[in-house]
Amino acid sequence: MELTDPGSAGPGRGGLKAAVFDLDGTLIDTEPRNREMWVRMFTANGIAHDEALIASFAGRRGREVLAELLHLFPGRTVEDLFHEVVSYETGPGMPPVKPVPGAVELVRALHAAAVPVAVVTSGVRGYAEGLLDGLGIKELLDVLVTADDVANGKPDPEGFLAACDALGVAPRDALGFEDAPAGVAAVKAAGMTCVGITTTQPAAALAAADRVVADMTEVDLRAWGLPARGEHEE
C-alpha cells in the first residue's frame, strides 16, 4: 500500500510535527544478522529453538528477552548471555547489513523539510550510534533513545513517549515507523500514528499499524503537505 494519503488517522496535512523511527529492520536491515546471532547462541548452548521463537525477539531489548529465558540456561546470568549473543555479531559467515530501501532518503527529506526526527531503538547506545554513523544520518537526528535510556523496552511505549517529550511534540502529531509487532504496539500505546514496514515481518503481523508498506520508498511526504523527496534540491 503506497502511503500517499494520511486518511483520517494521525497527523493531517500540515500537522506532522515529528517522525520517530525504529532502527533495526526499519532504517537498516540487520534482522537476518540478529536472528543468526540468536541461533548461534542457542545452538552453542544446546538449547532447542525454532524460527517462531527467534522471530518473537524482533524489536525487543536483548536483556529483557534473556531474562524471560534465563531458566533455560542454568548457572548463567543475563549479562553473561547478553555478551555471548553480542560476541557473535562479528563472527564468520554472518549475513551482511544494508539500508532499508528509501530509509536514508526519507530521513534526509524530513530533515530538509525541518521536520524533527528521532530514533527509538532496543539496541544499546554504542551499537545504535555505530549503525547510524554507517548510514550517514546520525547528525540529522534531533533525539536518539536507546535501550540504555529507558526502564521498560518495547512493547512498552516509554521510549516513544520519551522521544516525543524530548522533541516537544504531542504523540498525536508524530508518526512512528516500525517493523516488529512489539514496536508497533509501543507506537500505538504511545498514542502515535504507526507506519508498519514489512522488511522483517509479514503484513499480518503488523496489522495493528495504521498503514503498512513494503519499505520506505512507499512513503510519500506529500501526504502531509511536505515536498516530495528531492524537491528541496531543485
Side-chain angles (χ1 to χ4, degrees):
M1 173 189 297
E2 186 170 351
L3 207 165
T4 56
D5 180 0
S8 59
R13 291 187 180 274
L16 179 61
K17 301 293 179 25
V20 186
F21 295 87
D22 173 50
L23 180 56
D24 290 280
T26 300
L27 293 177
I28 187 167
D29 188 9
T30 53
E31 206 56 36
R33 184 185 67 181
N34 292 345
R35 291 189 185 193
E36 180 62 20
M37 289 164 61
W38 284 108
V39 167
R40 292 189 184 192
M41 189 272 289
F42 278 103
T43 301
N45 289 277
I47 306 298
H49 58 280
D50 56 24
E51 178 61 25
L53 176 65
I54 301 299
S56 72
F57 304 157
R60 300 185 59 203
R61 295 197 298 184
R63 288 182 174 89
E64 289 180 343
V65 169
L66 289 166
E68 294 175 3
L69 300 174
L70 194 58
H71 63 283
L72 299 175
F73 302 87
R76 304 289 296 277
T77 67
V78 167
E79 284 302 311
D80 179 27
L81 290 168
F82 180 76
H83 288 297
E84 180 180 343
V85 174
V86 171
S87 73
Y88 296 119
E89 183 178 350
T90 56
M94 294 298 290
V97 301
K98 57 186 177 181
V100 170
V104 170
E105 295 81 1
L106 178 58
V107 171
R108 292 190 182 281
L110 287 162
H111 178 76
V115 176
V117 177
V119 164
V120 176
T121 175
S122 296
V124 297
R125 181 162 292 272
Y127 168 82
E129 290 182 342
L131 290 180
L132 291 165
D133 264 335
L135 290 171
I137 59 174
K138 188 175 78 169
E139 301 306 317
L140 303 183
L141 301 183
D142 297 276
V143 172
L144 172 60
V145 179
T146 74
D148 302 320
D149 304 316
V150 296
N152 303 293
K154 304 169 187 179
D156 192 280
E158 181 181 350
F160 286 99
L161 290 172
C164 289
D165 184 62
L167 292 172
V169 302
R172 67 177 178 274
D173 295 327
L175 279 180
F177 294 85
E178 270 283 359
D179 71 296
V184 170
V187 172
K188 295 304 296 177
M192 300 166 61
T193 299
C194 184
V195 179
I197 316 295
T198 61
T199 49
T200 64
Q201 303 277 340
L206 307 178
D210 296 285
R211 299 294 172 88
V212 177
V213 297
D215 57 43
M216 296 299 188
T217 64
E218 295 188 4
V219 179
D220 189 336
L221 294 178
R222 290 172 296 182
W224 296 280
L226 299 173
R229 295 181 223 198
E231 286 186 7
H232 62 280
E233 299 173 351
E234 298 176 0

